């Protein structure tokens, strides 16, 4: 190798060996032309898999729809540099919080030759920072207050309203036995209506009840209580390193609860799986059914439920997404941080 090429080769070897940063080159169109070991570690692709692919593959679908990859290249080309923090997507589909810098590269004649891109995985420091900030502490107190109120309402419904309606039903059945058939039919219909209302109230009280003996036992109890009656077979699996903090348990449980309610009411599914895993100091969850997909699921309740799930995840500092091609089932996927608060 000529002596004047040695510094350039040394720099190439240095970049290739860096593990804590994804460092790679793009051509002027945004197509990946180089890849280092840090990029493979952070994003999950080998060089053979990713070189020649447009870099927008790393962005969540909503960011691609908004044109953010192209906007970043335009600003870098105009200003010389573009920087942001945001969600990015790994090869396996999971998201991570990234610090990104794109630098425009020009030759001696001023022609744009491409871009240098540096990405750092900031998920862990971001989770730690949120665990310590005022917003995180406020969220923790709010979650606990909400669950206390849910517990109080569930108790009132069970101990007061349901018991009163059960008493009404008993009296209706007594009157039914004493009345002529023409009047007994009317009383029987009233008794059936009371029984139906009691069942709905019991379901409401069960749904309001906060998770009890840990995340997995609580989800398992919810699945066994609610899904068989809807004719849906269930599978629960997990790879959790430890029990998450209480606010993370509540957030995961409530999002799963809403997703599973949508499966019962809208999906027409015969099977649903719930998968949980520890990832990036948080809990990653997939709820998958084999039902009709999103196109067949409409109505205000469904749309409200989707918004509520997303808001819960994002309020906790996480992310949430849904995918449901018509006829191919639906997958709800989300991640929330699980860093203990001091």
């Amino acid at each position: 190798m000529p002596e004047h090429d040695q510094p350039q080769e040394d720099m190439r070897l240095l970049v290739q060996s860096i593990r804590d940063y994804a460092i790679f080159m793009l051509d002027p169109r945004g197509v990946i032309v180089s890849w280092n070991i840090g990029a493979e570690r952070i994003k999950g692709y080998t060089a053979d898999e990713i070189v020649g692919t447009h870099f927008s593959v790393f962005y969540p679908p909503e960011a691609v729809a908004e044109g953010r990859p192209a906007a970043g290249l335009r600003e870098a080309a105009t200003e010389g540099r573009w920087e942001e923090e945001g969600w990015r997507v790994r090869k396996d589909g999971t998201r991570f919080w990234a610090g990104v810098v794109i630098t425009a590269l020009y030759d001696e004649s001023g022609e744009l030759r491409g871009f240098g891109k540096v990405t750092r995985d900031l998920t862990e420091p971001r989770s730690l920072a949120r665990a310590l900030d005022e917003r995180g502490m406020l969220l923790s107190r709010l979650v606990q207050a909400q669950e206390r109120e849910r517990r109080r309402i569930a108790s009132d419904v069970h101990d007061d309203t349901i018991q009163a309606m059960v008493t009404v039903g008993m009296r209706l059945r007594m009157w039914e036995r004493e009345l002529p058939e023409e009047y007994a039919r009317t009383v029987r219909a009233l008794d059936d209506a009371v029984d139906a209302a009691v069942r709905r109230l019991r379901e409401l009280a069960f749904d309001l009840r906060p998770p009890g003996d840990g995340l997995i036992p609580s989800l398992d109890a919810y699945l066994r209580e609610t899904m068989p009656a809807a004719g849906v077979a269930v599978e629960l699996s997990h790879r959790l390193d430890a029990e998450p903090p209480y606010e993370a348990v509540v957030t995961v449980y409530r999002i799963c609860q809403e997703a599973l309610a949508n499966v019962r009411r809208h999906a027409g599914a015969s099977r649903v799986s719930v998968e949980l895993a520890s990832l990036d100091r948080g809990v990653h969850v997939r709820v998958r059914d084999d039902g009709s997909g999103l196109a067949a699921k409409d109505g205000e309740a469904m749309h409200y439920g989707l918004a509520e799930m997303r808001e819960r995840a994002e309020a906790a500092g996480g992310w949430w997404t849904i995918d449901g091609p018509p006829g191919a089932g639906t997958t709800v996927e989300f991640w929330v941080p699980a860093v203990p608060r001091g």
Side-chain angles (χ1 to χ4, degrees):
M1 177 186 299
E3 186 174 340
H4 67 273
D5 289 339
Q6 187 63 44
Q8 184 175 352
E9 176 63 12
D10 291 344
M11 179 59 69
R12 186 188 70 80
L13 291 173
L14 174 63
V15 170
Q16 288 297 321
S17 65
I18 292 174
R19 298 181 57 84
D20 294 332
Y21 292 82
I23 303 174
F24 53 97
M25 302 284 294
L26 310 175
D27 71 10
R29 297 170 300 156
V31 173
I32 299 162
V33 296
S34 73
W35 197 245
N36 80 329
I37 191 171
E40 180 175 341
R41 187 183 69 83
I42 292 172
K43 296 178 181 289
Y45 295 93
T46 65
D48 290 342
E49 290 173 320
I50 201 63
V51 169
T53 303
H54 196 271
F55 85 112
S56 59
V57 71
F58 306 131
Y59 284 72
E62 62 271 18
V64 175
E66 293 170 1
R68 294 193 63 79
L73 293 187
R74 283 196 303 271
E75 184 167 337
T78 302
E79 304 295 332
R81 186 175 185 273
W82 178 78
E83 182 175 0
E84 77 156 1
E85 290 188 9
W87 291 114
R88 295 295 186 269
V89 181
R90 298 184 181 90
K91 177 185 175 182
D92 64 4
T94 59
R95 301 188 185 195
F96 66 100
W97 189 259
V100 179
V101 177
I102 299 178
T103 303
L105 304 174
Y106 294 92
D107 61 19
E108 295 178 354
S109 66
E111 181 180 353
L112 179 66
R113 297 296 301 274
F115 302 89
K117 191 167 186 290
V118 179
T119 301
R120 185 184 179 194
D121 185 350
L122 299 177
T123 309
E124 183 170 333
R126 179 176 185 261
S127 296
L128 287 168
R130 286 187 59 85
L132 297 172
D133 67 17
E134 289 186 8
R135 182 183 178 191
M137 298 302 291
L138 177 61
L139 174 66
S140 177
R141 289 194 292 270
L142 179 61
V143 166
Q144 293 183 43
Q146 287 177 331
E147 294 306 305
R148 284 196 298 270
E149 184 65 10
R150 283 174 176 266
R151 184 182 291 108
R152 184 191 65 78
I153 294 172
S155 178
D156 287 348
V157 168
H158 181 272
D159 296 339
D160 184 3
T161 308
I162 289 178
Q163 298 309 314
M165 295 191 72
V166 167
T167 301
V168 169
M170 292 172 60
R171 291 182 178 177
L172 286 172
R173 284 188 289 276
M174 290 174 56
W175 292 341
E176 178 190 342
R177 290 193 293 267
E178 298 172 359
L179 291 171
E181 179 58 26
E182 58 181 306
Y183 300 113
R185 281 195 299 269
T186 301
V187 174
R188 195 177 305 125
L190 289 172
D191 184 34
D192 290 342
V194 169
D195 281 346
V198 168
R199 285 196 300 272
R200 289 194 296 271
L201 285 170
R202 282 180 172 146
E203 290 172 1
L204 173 62
F206 180 79
D207 287 344
L208 286 170
R209 189 173 64 193
D213 301 323
L215 178 56
I216 299 304
S218 295
L219 282 174
D220 182 58
Y222 184 81
L223 285 164
R224 287 188 285 103
E225 179 74 21
T226 60
M227 304 309 287
V232 181
V234 299
E235 179 182 353
L236 175 64
S237 60
H238 75 92
R239 291 178 287 108
L240 295 179
D241 299 336
E243 177 71 8
Y246 179 73
E247 59 267 25
V249 168
V250 170
T251 300
V252 170
Y253 181 83
R254 292 302 180 199
I255 295 175
C256 286
Q257 190 179 45
E258 185 62 44
L260 293 165
N262 283 333
V263 172
R264 294 198 311 274
R265 297 166 186 163
H266 306 287
S270 62
R271 180 172 296 276
V272 64
S273 66
V274 182
E275 306 163 11
L276 303 94
S278 296
L279 177 69
D280 294 332
R281 294 178 67 86
V283 181
H284 176 244
V285 184
R286 286 193 183 101
V287 180
R288 299 191 249 204
D289 69 64
D290 63 354
S292 55
L294 282 174
K297 303 176 185 179
D298 52 17
E300 288 187 11
M302 175 68 178
H303 295 307
Y304 172 77
L306 299 185
E308 183 179 34
M309 285 188 279
R310 182 188 299 276
E311 288 169 1
R312 278 188 179 274
E314 292 180 351
W319 54 265
W320 176 95
T321 186
I322 189 169
D323 184 38
T330 302
T331 299
V332 168
E333 185 173 4
F334 63 96
W335 174 91
V336 296
V339 181
R341 303 194 187 280

